[in-house]
Amino acid sequence: MLPRHLQTVGGRCITRASHSRPVCMSGNFLRYPWWTGHYQPFSFFPVNNWHPQDNSRPYHYFGPHRTALPGSHIFPWFPTHSSWLHTSNFNMDAKGDEPFRKRKKGIEDDEYRGPWAKRPYPPASDLRAPPIQGTPKIFDPTSPQTEAEIKRRWEDFSPHNHERTSEGKFDFTVMSYNILSQDLLEDNSSLYSHCRRPYLFWNYRLPNILRELQEMNADILCLQEVQDDHYQEQIKPNLEALGYICEYKVRTGSKPDGCAICFKSDKFNLKLVKPVEYFRQNIALLDRDNIGLVLILQPKTRGRDVPMICVANTHLLYNPRRGDIKLTQLAILLAEITEVAQIQDGRFCPIVLCGDFNSVPGSPLHRFVKEGTLYYEGLTIGKVSGQERYSKGQRILSIPIWPKSLGITQKCVYDSPGKDETPEGSLEGQIVEKTDEQTKEPDIRVDSNLWHHFSLSSAYSHYFPDTGMPEITTCHSKSAITVDYIFYSAEHNDVFRQPGSEGPCNGLRLLGRLSLLNEQDLWSVNGLPNETNSSDHLSLLAKFRLEL
Ligand code: KL2
């Protein structure tokens, strides 16, 4: 039995201003099918991840301190109320309310107004954001002022949560956020048919996204689906103005989005940047253009021998049927992390691995990240990510999954002599030295096990402890699931440490996180994106402590 205060953590908190209607059972909500999810609650994650000793009390993240955020002058259109997620101000049942349709690329927002021009609604050209600074956010003046709100709560796991970073400790926050590239939004417009069209214009969404980034004020941002031109012209300059140093890796191929890692220049020194491409010209399996990005950062703090941290960010392939590709992309990323995060004696600096993995909690891919091993014999490629209950990818994973020519072993390290030693007590991956060849390259008797070298825990629990309902990180017309994660190397004492993992001696301790929502809460604010939340993903935010 959980302590009473924990039973409310992460649940919804809906407040209503006068004249508002109850939001949770709104017409909009009822019009959308309840996404049953892929798993019965509790089936994969017993919710007893919550530590019974935790006596912290959650509070609303955007409390009174909100107006005192540093640099808030940069975005003068910030709403002054404290809502975080809003219901749409607009009644979706209104006649003539057209769903957003796929539009021809390059058409200006105001040219595309169509039926909206007849409505008492600000012309779409007014929704074009200024060059980031200046114009107030525009609301529909004719709509009823419903002020239903859902607040995300800060879940605090630290007994000394107000303590500032002090001697021997380095606290920092990490956000992972898929901001929904405009290009992909327009390519997959059927996913957003539930949205009011003007809320889908980039020039409407951008200020919201920047506001959110500024309000969260994370020390490290791991962003996915960052469109190249928006990054260069808008996102990077604005984040730099907020004190971030930004690194970016665009996808290979023709899709113009990528991953960014931005960090506060007063908190970290940049030691290394490693862009990671998953595309391989000569390997049929790796014909997709997803990418990752890995940084090594050194905390700026007094004292010698300050440990580095490794921050990795990725957006794995979406295709629910191609778990073989997803696992191989992940193996490449893990091999790259192994290369750069190794300090000495096979030990690694603490790792924070963020991203959109396009895989749900409890899926084989997710379990592989957390458990460090995956037995995949007989597993169909459509089951790897768990995105679809009845998956169409019926082909069984080949053994090995990727060809040897990739140069990565089943332990997700680059293939070179001596790197692929069998873990103690393991029956797998036996190495037979070739004595009759000049090369010392080991010949690995492959079996159906994958391994990796890290002990990674998830900053989120994936189910609410009080209801067993799934946490949702992405919600649009076709699905509402968790696909985004913040994994980290948990230290010995961390209460969320993945059971069975040893954890590095100087790992990270999870001090807190911004709660997620369940699907019902999200549909009560018209799903995502909506008026205030301008991506089809929610941001994830976690606070860590590094013992120096
Ligand atoms: O699920 V995502 O959205 O993590 O938010 O990652 C991919 C999908 C992203 C990059 O490929 O584009 C979205 N059906 C639904 N979503 C799609 C599809 C599709 N067929 N193709 C791409 N995406």
Coordinates of all heavy atoms in Angstrom, one line a residue, residues 406-439:
L406 N 28.3 -4.7 -40.3 CA 28.1 -3.4 -39.6 C 29.2 -3.2 -38.6 O 29.5 -2.0 -38.2 CB 26.8 -3.5 -38.9 CG 26.3 -2.3 -38.0 CD1 26.3 -1.1 -38.8 CD2 25.0 -2.6 -37.3
G407 N 29.9 -4.2 -38.2 CA 31.1 -4.1 -37.3 C 30.7 -3.8 -35.9 O 31.4 -3.3 -35.1
I408 N 29.5 -4.3 -35.5 CA 29.0 -4.1 -34.1 C 28.6 -5.5 -33.6 O 27.9 -6.2 -34.3 CB 27.8 -3.1 -34.0 CG1 28.3 -1.7 -34.4 CG2 27.1 -3.2 -32.7 CD1 27.3 -0.6 -34.4
T409 N 29.1 -5.8 -32.4 CA 28.8 -7.2 -31.9 C 27.4 -7.2 -31.3 O 26.7 -6.2 -31.1 CB 29.8 -7.5 -30.8 OG1 29.5 -6.7 -29.7 CG2 31.3 -7.2 -31.3
Q410 N 27.1 -8.4 -30.8 CA 25.8 -8.6 -30.1 C 25.8 -8.0 -28.8 O 24.8 -7.9 -28.1 CB 25.6 -10.1 -29.9 CG 25.4 -10.9 -31.2 CD 24.0 -10.9 -31.7 OE1 23.2 -11.6 -31.1 NE2 23.8 -10.2 -32.8
K411 N 27.0 -7.5 -28.4 CA 27.0 -6.7 -27.1 C 26.9 -5.2 -27.3 O 27.2 -4.4 -26.4 CB 28.3 -7.1 -26.3 CG 28.5 -8.5 -26.1 CD 28.6 -8.9 -24.7 CE 28.9 -10.4 -24.6 NZ 30.2 -10.6 -25.2
C412 N 26.6 -4.9 -28.6 CA 26.4 -3.5 -28.9 C 27.7 -2.7 -28.7 O 27.7 -1.5 -28.2 CB 25.3 -2.8 -28.2 SG 23.7 -3.7 -28.5
V413 N 28.8 -3.2 -29.1 CA 30.1 -2.5 -29.1 C 30.7 -2.7 -30.5 O 30.4 -3.7 -31.2 CB 31.1 -2.9 -28.0 CG1 30.6 -2.6 -26.6 CG2 31.4 -4.4 -28.1
Y414 N 31.6 -1.8 -30.9 CA 32.3 -1.9 -32.1 C 33.2 -3.2 -32.0 O 33.8 -3.4 -31.0 CB 33.1 -0.7 -32.5 CG 32.1 0.4 -33.0 CD1 31.8 1.5 -32.3 CD2 31.5 0.2 -34.3 CE1 30.9 2.5 -32.8 CE2 30.6 1.2 -34.8 CZ 30.3 2.3 -34.0 OH 29.4 3.2 -34.5
D415 N 33.2 -3.9 -33.1 CA 33.8 -5.2 -33.2 C 35.3 -5.0 -33.3 O 35.8 -4.6 -34.3 CB 33.3 -5.9 -34.4 CG 33.6 -7.4 -34.4 OD1 34.2 -7.8 -33.4 OD2 33.2 -8.0 -35.3
S416 N 36.0 -5.3 -32.2 CA 37.5 -5.3 -32.3 C 38.0 -6.3 -31.3 O 37.3 -6.6 -30.3 CB 38.1 -3.9 -32.1 OG 37.7 -3.5 -30.8
P417 N 39.2 -6.9 -31.4 CA 39.6 -7.9 -30.6 C 39.5 -7.5 -29.1 O 39.9 -6.4 -28.7 CB 41.1 -8.1 -31.0 CG 41.1 -7.6 -32.4 CD 40.1 -6.5 -32.5
G418 N 39.0 -8.5 -28.3 CA 39.0 -8.3 -26.9 C 37.8 -7.5 -26.4 O 37.6 -7.4 -25.2
K419 N 37.0 -6.9 -27.3 CA 35.9 -6.1 -26.8 C 34.7 -6.9 -26.5 O 33.8 -6.4 -25.8 CB 35.6 -5.0 -27.9 CG 36.4 -3.8 -27.8 CD 35.7 -2.6 -28.4 CE 36.5 -1.4 -28.1 NZ 36.0 -0.3 -28.8
D420 N 34.6 -8.1 -27.0 CA 33.4 -8.8 -26.8 C 33.5 -10.0 -25.9 O 33.3 -11.1 -26.3 CB 32.9 -9.3 -28.2 CG 31.5 -9.6 -28.2 OD1 30.8 -9.3 -27.2 OD2 31.0 -10.2 -29.2
E421 N 33.9 -9.7 -24.7 CA 34.1 -10.8 -23.8 C 32.8 -11.1 -23.1 O 31.9 -10.3 -22.8 CB 35.1 -10.4 -22.7 CG 36.5 -10.6 -23.2 CD 37.5 -9.6 -22.7 OE1 37.2 -9.0 -21.7 OE2 38.4 -9.3 -23.5
T422 N 32.6 -12.4 -22.9 CA 31.4 -12.9 -22.3 C 31.2 -12.4 -20.8 O 32.1 -12.5 -20.1 CB 31.4 -14.5 -22.3 OG1 31.7 -14.9 -23.6 CG2 30.0 -15.0 -21.9
P423 N 30.1 -11.9 -20.5 CA 29.9 -11.5 -19.1 C 30.0 -12.7 -18.2 O 29.6 -13.8 -18.6 CB 28.4 -10.9 -19.1 CG 28.1 -10.7 -20.5 CD 28.9 -11.6 -21.3
E424 N 30.5 -12.5 -17.0 CA 30.6 -13.6 -16.1 C 29.3 -14.4 -15.9 O 28.3 -13.8 -15.7 CB 31.1 -13.1 -14.7 CG 32.4 -13.6 -14.3 CD 32.8 -13.0 -13.0 OE1 32.2 -13.3 -12.0 OE2 33.7 -12.2 -13.0
G425 N 29.4 -15.7 -15.9 CA 28.2 -16.5 -15.7 C 27.3 -16.6 -16.9 O 26.3 -17.3 -16.8
S426 N 27.7 -15.9 -17.9 CA 26.8 -16.0 -19.1 C 27.2 -17.2 -20.0 O 28.3 -17.6 -20.0 CB 27.0 -14.7 -19.9 OG 26.8 -15.0 -21.3
L427 N 26.2 -17.7 -20.6 CA 26.4 -18.9 -21.5 C 26.6 -18.4 -22.9 O 26.9 -19.2 -23.8 CB 25.2 -19.8 -21.4 CG 24.9 -20.3 -20.0 CD1 23.6 -21.1 -20.1 CD2 26.0 -21.2 -19.5
E428 N 26.4 -17.2 -23.2 CA 26.4 -16.7 -24.6 C 27.6 -16.0 -25.0 O 28.5 -15.7 -24.2 CB 25.2 -15.7 -24.8 CG 23.9 -16.3 -24.8 CD 23.4 -16.6 -23.4 OE1 23.8 -15.9 -22.5 OE2 22.7 -17.6 -23.2
G429 N 27.7 -15.8 -26.3 CA 28.7 -15.0 -26.9 C 30.1 -15.5 -26.8 O 31.0 -14.7 -26.6
Q430 N 30.2 -16.8 -26.8 CA 31.6 -17.3 -26.6 C 32.5 -17.0 -27.8 O 32.0 -17.0 -29.0 CB 31.5 -18.8 -26.5 CG 30.8 -19.3 -25.3 CD 30.4 -20.7 -25.3 OE1 31.2 -21.5 -25.7 NE2 29.2 -21.0 -25.0
I431 N 33.7 -16.6 -27.5 CA 34.6 -16.1 -28.6 C 35.6 -17.2 -28.9 O 36.2 -17.8 -28.0 CB 35.3 -14.9 -28.1 CG1 34.3 -13.7 -27.9 CG2 36.3 -14.4 -29.2 CD1 34.9 -12.5 -27.2
V432 N 35.7 -17.5 -30.1 CA 36.7 -18.5 -30.5 C 37.8 -17.8 -31.4 O 37.5 -17.3 -32.4 CB 36.1 -19.7 -31.3 CG1 37.1 -20.7 -31.7 CG2 35.0 -20.3 -30.5
E433 N 39.0 -17.8 -30.9 CA 40.1 -17.1 -31.6 C 40.4 -18.0 -32.9 O 40.5 -19.2 -32.8 CB 41.3 -17.0 -30.8 CG 41.2 -16.0 -29.7 CD 41.1 -14.6 -30.2 OE1 41.6 -14.3 -31.3 OE2 40.5 -13.8 -29.5
K434 N 40.5 -17.3 -34.0 CA 40.9 -18.0 -35.2 C 42.4 -18.2 -35.2 O 43.1 -17.2 -35.2 CB 40.5 -17.2 -36.4 CG 39.0 -17.1 -36.6 CD 38.8 -16.2 -37.9 CE 37.3 -15.9 -38.0 NZ 37.1 -14.9 -39.0
T435 N 42.8 -19.4 -35.1 CA 44.3 -19.6 -35.0 C 44.9 -19.8 -36.4 O 46.0 -19.6 -36.6 CB 44.6 -20.9 -34.2 OG1 43.7 -21.9 -34.7 CG2 44.3 -20.7 -32.7
D436 N 44.0 -20.1 -37.4 CA 44.6 -20.4 -38.7 C 44.5 -19.2 -39.6 O 44.7 -19.3 -40.8 CB 43.8 -21.6 -39.3 CG 42.3 -21.3 -39.3 OD1 41.9 -20.3 -38.6 OD2 41.5 -22.0 -40.0
E437 N 44.2 -18.1 -39.0 CA 44.2 -16.9 -39.9 C 45.1 -15.8 -39.3 O 45.4 -15.8 -38.1 CB 42.8 -16.3 -39.9 CG 41.8 -17.1 -40.8 CD 40.4 -16.6 -40.8 OE1 40.3 -15.3 -40.6 OE2 39.5 -17.4 -40.9
Q438 N 45.6 -15.0 -40.2 CA 46.5 -13.9 -39.8 C 45.8 -12.9 -38.9 O 46.3 -12.4 -37.9 CB 47.0 -13.2 -41.0 CG 48.0 -14.1 -41.8 CD 48.9 -13.3 -42.6 OE1 48.6 -12.2 -43.0 NE2 50.0 -13.9 -42.9
T439 N 44.5 -12.7 -39.2 CA 43.8 -11.7 -38.4 C 43.5 -12.2 -37.0 O 43.3 -13.4 -36.8 CB 42.5 -11.3 -39.1 OG1 41.8 -10.5 -38.2 CG2 41.6 -12.5 -39.4

